[in-house]
């Protein structure tokens, strides 16, 4: 697992960015650490794994990202993760995002936010 402390990884999440959408929900990450290269992405909501093809980063799906097809994540860049799923109920949710990077290995970002 990553050598980056959990409290720094938690700061990648843009607070209060969890929002419902027409097709599920979205949230925003901001790279406050260093230029990076994403080679994999997985996500759990309330301990439930999400299908990689249900997670979008712009026009790219999480299942399309790999070591052969990485995605750059520049310093100070915002990335909106759009998830197609059943609507989340209003209230508190625990979200775990595992980002595999070329530079630092697997980064496990664990956050909690409340859906209005």
């Amino acid at each position: 697992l990553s050598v980056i402390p959990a409290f720094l990884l938690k700061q990648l999440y843009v607070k209060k960015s969890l929002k419902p959408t027409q097709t599920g929900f979205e949230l925003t990450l901001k790279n406050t650490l260093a230029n990076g290269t994403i080679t994999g992405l997985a996500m759990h909501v309330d301990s439930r794994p999400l299908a990689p093809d249900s997670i979008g980063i712009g026009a790219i799906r999480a299942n399309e990202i790999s070591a052969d097809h990485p995605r750059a994540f520049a310093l100070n860049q915002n990335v909106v993760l759009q998830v197609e799923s059943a609507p989340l109920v209003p209230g508190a949710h625990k979200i775990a995002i595992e980002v595999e990077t070329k530079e630092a290995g697997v980064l496990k970002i664990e956050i909690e936010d409340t859906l209005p």
Side-chain angles (χ1 to χ4, degrees):
L1 224 55
S2 167
V3 295
I4 300 171
F7 78 92
L8 284 178
L9 294 176
K10 200 174 277 213
Q11 292 173 7
L12 296 176
Y13 175 68
V14 176
K15 286 183 171 63
K16 305 287 179 205
S17 68
L18 181 64
K19 295 184 182 102
T21 63
Q22 295 280 347
T23 57
F25 65 93
E26 69 179 32
L27 57 89
T28 304
L29 298 178
K30 180 174 182 168
N31 184 353
T32 55
L33 298 172
N35 287 333
T37 310
I38 300 172
T39 57
L41 182 81
M43 206 166 159
H44 288 74
V45 174
D46 301 324
S47 301
R48 191 182 79 233
L50 299 177
D53 63 354
S54 72
I55 305 164
I57 305 172
I60 301 169
R61 297 264 157 223
N63 62 320
E64 299 172 304
I65 299 171
S66 66
D68 292 334
H69 296 95
R71 186 178 192 296
F73 191 17
L75 181 63
N76 295 320
Q77 178 185 9
N78 279 2
V79 169
V80 177
L81 300 180
Q82 299 152 323
V83 179
E84 292 177 14
S85 75
L88 291 180
V89 296
H93 293 280
K94 287 182 195 248
I95 299 171
I97 305 164
E98 286 186 15
V99 182
E100 199 173 317
T101 67
K102 190 160 47 174
E103 295 79 9
V106 176
L107 309 179
K108 191 163 187 181
I109 305 164
E110 294 183 316
I111 53 122
E112 241 181 276
D113 205 347
T114 302
L115 201 60

